[in-house]
Amino acid sequence: MNTAMRLQKLRNSLSEKNVTALLVTQPENRFYLSGFYGSAGYLLITADKALLATDSRYVEQAGRQAPNYQLFESKNDLHKWLPEFLCGLALKELAFEAESLSFWHYSQIKNIVKPLGIALVPVNGLVENLRTGKDDDELALIKKAVSLSDAAIEHMRNTMHIGMSELEMAWEIEKHMREHGSETLPFEVIVAAGCNAAIPHHHPCDYIIKENEPIIIDIGAKCGGYISDLTRTLFLGQEDAQFHLVYNTVLQAQTAAIENIRAGMSGSEADRMARSVIDANGFGDKFGHGLGHGIGLAVHEAPRIGAISKDILQNGMTFTIEPGIYLPGWGGVRIEDSVVLENGRIKTLSTAGK
Amino acid sequence: MNTAMRLQKLRNSLSEKNVTALLVTQPENRFYLSGFYGSAGYLLITADKALLATDSRYVEQAGRQAPNYQLFESKNDLHKWLPEFLCGLALKELAFEAESLSFWHYSQIKNIVKPLGIALVPVNGLVENLRTGKDDDELALIKKAVSLSDAAIEHMRNTMHIGMSELEMAWEIEKHMREHGSETLPFEVIVAAGCNAAIPHHHPCDYIIKENEPIIIDIGAKCGGYISDLTRTLFLGQEDAQFHLVYNTVLQAQTAAIENIRAGMSGSEADRMARSVIDANGFGDKFGHGLGHGIGLAVHEAPRIGAISKDILQNGMTFTIEPGIYLPGWGGVRIEDSVVLENGRIKTLSTAGK
């Protein structure tokens, strides 16, 4: 991980925005910029300094993982160590990550830095925006995670049978990914059969799968911290007209999005590529979520792809394309691939059959 | 789950503190008060109303899981639906959970409610305090989770051998808990062998375990949303004088805490019970974390038990007692049990051998 280059890019961005110092508290941002993946710590980045404060549990680990940072052990409570941490930097303003810092944490920091003559300035998305452009190493890890979720869905397609419960299927899938190299899963495996498939984020339960019902399986693997996200809707038995109609509508919508999304579009324009197909087939009000979301260190990160997203899609971004139709009382269909935007167009990373 | 009773207790607490309406955004609090366990949603609780707002992904699920709440579908963005959600309540103040609401989210809500004549009021710990007193159903779930982690550690004690990696051990333990009834683990299994055991929150890696080195294993199971937390330090080979001294010091410290902690003590007084033993043996500066933390729906919840905690320990509280000594370059020892405070004294829930 080239944290020196990431720090340089961040500094360019800070300079453009006239931010003299940024306090980084968001966990994925902390990891992205420093390589340190402990669960607690603060980065402080200025034009010429990169500091990392963490407590005794993580000091040794942080020293190993974040060699580009000057290490500081945060002892006792914030009121004691923060002034010392900031001492010598001669700051007048300190930017903080407003989307992740809690109001309470913000209030505490404000009370501490005000007497030091430092004003807190809320900022959003500075590091998140850097994170949207994946480098080759990041893309390689995402592809590895994608191949693990692809293999797990094919494994399930070949081994599932009437009589298995959603929970049994979910665990079988999880074991397959973990035993083939996935780190702890980025989110719980979703297996939603029959009526449960009408709930986009259903938790698997002891419901026994039957013939002639849709079965939505939504899974992700993780490699080196980077994740994949994949959904397939499977079916055991004889597909009826309703399933056929719903499935083909979702598939057409996804295909249209994959073929027509271009670099330079906004998230809402991209969303429209799929949503217009679903609308045209009369299911517009049954597709209640956005078309997709960025993937990387987080399952949901920038860019957002939905009806009101102004994020601009750019080459190097990795995200999902996942239209769905949900019919309470019947079930649902969702088809999701992880993709990357390359040379202005969508390249699908997942290879699992549809 | 008796959410009606929990709502009543919360209303008593709101009334005592002159809070007319509370917006609940913290996920475990939302589940505790409503039974709804989707990943997104807002509760709004007043003296006579209990509302739940969530988006289309979760509306059906919320209806099933939270029958005591009036359901509201949050469509489009916050600016659109929040005024409608609040409409008809005639609020002048709205309390929010300052420890979990992000500064950004707070700012958005503030901008929306200000024109409606509603002032936002930060509060902390209102629901968290209710959550500290476990009822019989909650305690039964915690005990079930404890028995799963106990069984997994004994399984590992009987099956581990020289040549296994930390990662292999961690996965073997995770499989054991999951296949015996644990939900998705509340935190990643920690296996830290040799020098790695000097890092309290080490991530398991491909390090191969050897003879004559401490092996810290820190695990938790989850049942019905409630968690256990257990640490044992194992050893293969011939214990040397150093291991003996460190292990016995930690065990004495833990025993002293278990025997001497009483209801009515503060978290810092309880911490002192163990810390004084470690101090007396000359390892005071090698025990850098607190003695324990509340457990329940979260791995770390109230009460805190550490050098600066003013939380008062009360009957019905469940928490961990986990002293440790960490020696960089050598390794470490931590011994942790999940306990409940009953009849004024500590009752240890874990039965795994020490």
Side-chain angles (χ1 to χ4, degrees):
Chain A
M1 178 188 303
N2 196 335
T3 53
M5 186 179 289
R6 292 177 186 174
L7 263 176
Q8 190 50 53
K9 283 188 183 167
L10 177 66
R11 284 178 172 137
N12 294 344
S13 169
L14 295 180
S15 166
E16 275 170 29
K17 295 185 165 58
N18 289 317
V19 173
T20 50
L22 176 67
L23 187 69
V24 175
T25 51
Q26 203 284 333
E28 283 86 16
N29 291 347
R30 192 169 61 215
F31 172 66
Y32 180 79
L33 291 172
S34 72
F36 168 58
Y37 60 65
S39 69
Y42 300 73
L43 305 182
L44 198 151
I45 294 152
T46 69
D48 58 359
K49 289 206 188 300
L51 310 176
L52 190 168
T54 190
D55 62 68
S56 70
R57 293 174 302 171
Y58 292 117
V59 165
E60 189 178 330
Q61 176 183 341
R64 291 188 205 172
Q65 295 177 337
N68 291 324
Y69 283 73
Q70 191 179 326
L71 202 60
F72 179 94
E73 184 175 338
S74 53
K75 282 185 187 167
N76 300 311
D77 73 355
L78 203 61
H79 289 80
K80 295 234 169 89
W81 68 261
L82 187 58
E84 201 186 323
F85 183 56
L86 298 172
C87 153
L89 295 171
L91 299 179
K92 289 190 173 150
E93 285 186 344
L94 177 59
F96 68 98
E97 298 182 290
E99 280 180 331
S100 59
L101 198 71
S102 75
F103 179 84
W104 179 244
H105 205 159
Y106 155 82
S107 305
Q108 285 185 299
I109 294 175
K110 187 178 153 196
N111 290 338
I112 295 167
V113 303
K114 207 174 167 189
L116 306 175
I118 303 171
L120 286 183
V121 180
V123 294
N124 273 333
L126 280 179
V127 187
E128 285 82 354
N129 284 343
L130 293 186
R131 279 170 46 198
T132 62
K134 267 66 178 181
D135 64 29
D136 291 346
D137 292 345
E138 294 179 288
L139 198 55
L141 290 169
I142 291 171
K143 285 178 177 172
K144 197 171 158 196
V146 164
S147 73
L148 291 175
S149 43
D150 282 347
I153 208 100
E154 296 305 345
H155 168 70
M156 188 41 43
R157 201 193 295 276
N158 296 330
T159 55
M160 72 175 184
H161 52 82
I162 304 297
M164 283 181 97
S165 72
E166 291 175 352
L167 277 168
E168 283 169 331
M169 288 176 64
W171 177 234
E172 191 61 30
I173 290 166
E174 176 161 355
K175 266 195 301 188
H176 197 277
M177 290 193 284
R178 297 288 298 276
E179 293 183 345
H180 287 79
S182 174
E183 295 152 17
T184 302
L185 300 194
F187 58 91
E188 287 187 43
V189 168
I190 295 174
V191 177
C195 294
N196 296 334
I199 303 175
H201 280 193
H202 172 69
H203 274 248
C205 65
D206 51 14
Y207 181 85
I208 302 290
I209 63 165
K210 300 184 181 63
E211 275 191 316
N212 308 330
E213 286 186 344
I215 305 162
I216 292 180
I217 302 179
D218 187 345
I219 64 178
K222 195 199 278 184
C223 294
Y226 286 82
I227 71 105
S228 62
D229 199 352
L230 174 74
T231 304
R232 289 294 180 265
T233 303
L234 308 183
F235 197 90
L236 286 168
Q238 194 63 41
E239 295 175 13
D240 60 14
Q242 169 86 327
F243 182 79
H244 224 73
L245 172 65
V246 175
Y247 191 90
N248 286 336
T249 303
V250 174
L251 185 58
Q252 273 173 37
Q254 204 217 19
T255 305
I258 289 171
E259 287 178 356
N260 298 314
I261 289 174
R262 294 284 181 279
M265 281 184 179
S266 69
S268 63
E269 286 172 306
D271 179 89
R272 205 63 231 146
M273 296 294 129
R275 196 170 300 277
S276 59
V277 175
I278 291 176
D279 283 352
N281 282 273
F283 292 110
D285 61 334
K286 307 302 181 195
F287 173 28
H289 56 73
L291 180 63
H293 51 83
I295 55 166
L297 288 171
V299 183
H300 294 93
E301 59 177 57
R304 289 163 305 157
I305 301 163
I308 56 172
S309 169
K310 292 174 182 156
D311 295 352
I312 300 298
L313 300 183
Q314 291 173 322
N315 285 323
M317 287 181 168
T318 49
F319 49 88
T320 67
I321 298 185
E322 48 173 317
I325 294 175
Y326 309 94
L327 305 175
W330 175 77
V333 170
R334 180 167 67 254
I335 305 174
E336 173 185 36
D337 285 303
S338 294
V339 308
V340 60
L341 205 48
E342 271 184 6
N343 303 316
R345 304 187 60 147
I346 295 290
K347 182 179 165 189
T348 307
L349 299 174
S350 327
T351 58
K354 292 177 195 174
Chain B
M1 180 188 303
N2 196 332
T3 53
M5 186 179 288
R6 290 177 187 176
L7 264 175
Q8 189 49 55
K9 282 188 184 169
L10 177 65
R11 284 176 170 138
N12 295 344
S13 170
L14 295 179
S15 164
E16 274 171 29
K17 295 186 164 59
N18 289 317
V19 173
T20 51
L22 176 66
L23 186 70
V24 176
T25 51
Q26 203 283 333
E28 283 86 18
N29 291 348
R30 191 168 62 215
F31 172 67
Y32 181 79
L33 291 172
S34 72
F36 167 58
Y37 61 65
S39 70
Y42 299 74
L43 305 182
L44 198 151
I45 294 151
T46 68
D48 59 0
K49 290 210 188 298
L51 310 175
L52 190 167
T54 190
D55 62 69
S56 69
R57 293 174 302 169
Y58 292 117
V59 164
E60 190 179 330
Q61 175 183 342
R64 292 189 204 172
Q65 294 175 339
N68 291 324
Y69 283 73
Q70 192 179 326
L71 203 58
F72 179 94
E73 184 175 338
S74 53
K75 283 185 185 166
N76 300 313
D77 74 354
L78 202 60
H79 290 81
K80 296 234 168 89
W81 68 261
L82 188 57
E84 202 187 322
F85 183 57
L86 297 173
C87 154
L89 295 171
L91 298 179
K92 290 192 172 147
E93 286 187 342
L94 177 59
F96 69 98
E97 299 182 290
E99 279 179 332
S100 58
L101 199 71
S102 74
F103 179 84
W104 179 245
H105 204 160
Y106 155 82
S107 305
Q108 285 185 298
I109 295 175
K110 187 179 154 195
N111 290 338
I112 296 167
V113 303
K114 208 175 168 187
L116 307 174
I118 302 172
L120 287 182
V121 181
V123 294
N124 273 330
L126 279 179
V127 188
E128 285 81 353
N129 283 343
L130 293 185
R131 279 169 48 197
T132 62
K134 267 68 179 179
D135 64 29
D136 290 347
D137 293 345
E138 294 179 286
L139 198 55
L141 290 168
I142 291 170
K143 284 178 177 171
K144 198 172 156 197
V146 164
S147 73
L148 291 175
S149 43
D150 282 348
I153 207 101
E154 295 306 345
H155 169 70
M156 190 40 40
R157 201 193 294 275
N158 295 329
T159 55
M160 72 175 184
H161 51 83
I162 302 299
M164 285 180 97
S165 73
E166 290 175 353
L167 277 167
E168 283 169 329
M169 288 176 64
W171 177 235
E172 190 62 30
I173 290 166
E174 176 161 357
K175 268 196 299 188
H176 197 278
M177 291 192 284
R178 297 289 297 276
E179 295 185 345
H180 287 79
S182 174
E183 295 152 17
T184 303
L185 301 195
F187 58 91
E188 288 186 43
V189 168
I190 296 173
V191 177
C195 293
N196 295 333
I199 303 175
H201 280 195
H202 172 67
H203 274 249
C205 65
D206 51 13
Y207 182 85
I208 303 290
I209 62 166
K210 299 185 182 64
E211 276 192 316
N212 308 328
E213 287 187 344
I215 305 163
I216 291 180
I217 302 179
D218 187 346
I219 64 178
K222 194 200 278 185
C223 294
Y226 287 82
I227 71 106
S228 62
D229 199 352
L230 174 74
T231 304
R232 290 294 181 264
T233 304
L234 308 182
F235 196 91
L236 287 166
Q238 194 64 41
E239 296 174 14
D240 60 14
Q242 169 87 325
F243 181 80
H244 223 76
L245 172 65
V246 175
Y247 191 90
N248 286 335
T249 303
V250 174
L251 184 58
Q252 274 174 37
Q254 203 216 21
T255 305
I258 290 170
E259 288 178 355
N260 298 315
I261 290 174
R262 294 285 181 279
M265 280 184 180
S266 68
S268 64
E269 286 172 307
D271 179 89
R272 203 65 229 145
M273 296 295 130
R275 196 170 300 276
S276 59
V277 174
I278 291 177
D279 283 352
N281 282 271
F283 293 109
D285 61 334
K286 306 302 179 193
F287 173 28
H289 56 74
L291 180 62
H293 51 82
I295 55 167
L297 289 170
V299 183
H300 293 95
E301 60 178 55
R304 291 163 305 159
I305 301 162
I308 57 172
S309 168
K310 291 172 183 158
D311 295 352
I312 299 299
L313 301 182
Q314 290 173 324
N315 284 323
M317 287 182 168
T318 48
F319 49 89
T320 67
I321 298 185
E322 50 175 314
I325 293 175
Y326 309 94
L327 306 175
W330 176 76
V333 169
R334 178 166 69 254
I335 305 174
E336 173 185 37
D337 285 303
S338 294
V339 308
V340 60
L341 206 47
E342 271 184 7
N343 303 316
R345 304 188 61 149
I346 295 290
K347 182 179 164 189
T348 307
L349 299 174
S350 329
T351 58
K354 293 176 194 174

